[in-house]
Amino acid sequence: MKVCDIVHLLDATFLAGEDLGENEVQSACGADLMSDVLAFVKNKTIMLTGLTNLQVVRTAEMLDVACIVFVRGKKPSDDIIELANKHGIPILSTAHTLYTACGILYANGISGS
Amino acid sequence: MEELRVNEYNLKDIYTIEAGNFVTAGEASSNIKTLLKRLGVNSSKLRNIAIASYEAEINLVIHSKGGQMELLVSPNEVIIKIDDIGPGIENIELAMKEGYSTAPDSIRVMGFGAGMGLSNMRNNADDFKIESKLGEGTHICMKFNI
Ligand SMILES: Nc1ncnc2c1ncn2[C@@H]1O[C@H](COP(=O)(O)OP(=O)(O)O)[C@@H](O)[C@H]1O
Ligand SMILES: [Mg+2]
């Protein structure tokens, strides 16, 4: 699946990296604890989170995360979007809750990371 | 801690890490990752190095009074040395345990403090050494075969 498919499934909008819709995604993880993400996540994953701070992007950068999804319509500040653009990490925003967003992706064949 | 023969390394870089600064936290690890990528380190090893480096850097920001990270690169290994100026760790064995954390709630709401960092560093590095003395500081040396 690709990032643009995720946009469609989650009724999401791009906040960063609109040109990276062709990025491939193989799995997903949903977490507000970056420590857990750093300990358990594998490659080419989508990271869904309700946490909006700079370290979310830093964590994604270290892990080569394919795409960040902010749930519940959360709008990150400009410095977060800037950092994601700098490192070529797409950011999506969806109105769904973390639980629902993960459920939709799982129901559409995306496994856990 | 064993002394490294620094002149055998063709690249050496030092980064200063500021305690409590969550805006700059991760910059050193980001620079290290970018640099090693340019040097051609393969992506899965690069990921191991970035994770371990970032966990160490975050620990300096959260738990220490500040310190520095030193990157050494030779044709077949990458070394990251992390030295802080205190407060030190009283019981290293306990600190290494998965799930053990002294991080306050203010850190947890930022997404950190699960107590997985030190074990995650050990798991990602090919060699991991830690020394610490209460009242003095913590010293970590991680080696990665590339
Ligand atoms: N550089 C450091 N200086 C002082 N204490 C540290 C340092 N690094 C780790 N610790 C101690 O070890 C504990 C475990 O560290 P870690 O496994 O990274 O988990 P976490 O950072 O989530 O608490 C910390 O909660 C802290 O008490
Ligand atoms: Mg830690």
Side-chain angles (χ1 to χ4, degrees):
Chain A
M1 211 172 279
K2 291 174 175 172
V3 170
C4 53
D5 301 319
I6 307 300
V7 172
H8 179 70
L9 288 172
L10 296 181
D11 258 324
T13 50
F14 275 102
L15 300 181
E18 204 150 345
D19 53 324
L20 301 169
E22 293 299 302
N23 270 18
E24 213 191 302
V25 295
Q26 292 167 344
S27 60
C29 75
D32 285 348
L33 207 47
M34 294 302 109
S35 293
D36 277 350
V37 178
L38 283 160
F40 299 117
V41 159
K42 297 190 202 78
N43 247 345
K44 299 217 171 140
T45 199
I46 317 166
M47 184 167 102
L48 299 102
T49 184
L51 195 68
T52 49
N53 65 46
L54 271 178
Q55 298 311 318
V56 172
V57 181
R58 285 289 181 214
T59 300
E61 179 196 350
M62 299 307 149
L63 292 167
D64 301 320
V65 158
C67 174
I68 298 170
V69 180
F70 288 122
V71 297
R72 264 186 292 129
K74 293 203 173 180
K75 290 277 183 293
S77 54
D78 290 346
D79 51 344
I80 293 175
I81 292 174
E82 234 169 78
L83 190 65
N85 276 323
K86 183 178 166 198
H87 292 286
I89 304 167
I91 294 186
L92 306 181
S93 171
T94 177
H96 291 298
T97 63
L98 183 58
Y99 180 79
T100 305
C102 290
I104 291 171
L105 295 185
Y106 193 83
N108 280 276
I110 295 189
S111 62
S113 185
Chain B
M1 190 141 294
E2 105 189 63
E3 263 315 303
L4 299 161
R5 279 168 294 171
V6 167
N7 52 7
E8 285 175 11
Y9 292 86
N10 4 27
L11 193 146
K12 196 177 164 219
D13 228 340
I14 292 186
Y15 306 87
T16 302
I17 314 298
E18 203 185 315
N21 191 334
F22 265 98
V23 174
T24 54
E27 270 180 14
S29 300
S30 176
N31 287 333
I32 288 173
K33 190 179 183 201
T34 306
L35 194 83
L36 294 177
K37 187 174 186 180
R38 224 183 309 134
L39 291 175
V41 175
N42 80 59
S43 66
S44 107
K45 185 57 76 171
L46 194 58
R47 199 165 169 280
N48 292 135
I49 298 171
I51 292 170
S53 164
Y54 183 57
E55 288 281 14
E57 184 174 358
I58 288 286
N59 274 3
L60 289 203
V61 174
I62 296 175
H63 305 294
S64 89
K65 297 187 208 160
Q68 65 170 46
M69 296 175 66
E70 188 176 356
L71 172 73
L72 296 157
V73 185
S74 80
N76 46 25
E77 69 182 6
V78 168
I79 290 177
I80 301 179
K81 289 177 72 183
I82 304 107
D83 302 287
D84 68 46
I85 55 167
I89 300 173
E90 189 170 11
N91 183 339
I92 290 180
E93 206 186 319
L94 185 61
M96 292 292 305
K97 276 217 175 94
E98 291 186 0
Y100 177 83
S101 175
T102 58
D105 283 347
S106 60
I107 296 299
R108 227 151 274 163
V109 298
M110 300 203 59
F112 295 93
M116 305 296 293
L118 290 171
S119 55
N120 205 13
M121 284 178 228
R122 186 181 52 197
N123 293 342
N124 277 285
D126 293 302
D127 186 57
F128 174 88
K129 286 196 179 71
I130 180 167
E131 277 173 15
S132 190
K133 208 165 183 187
L134 208 57
E136 285 179 20
T138 302
H139 310 280
I140 291 174
C141 184
M142 301 188 284
K143 279 190 205 181
F144 305 86
N145 306 322
I146 55 170

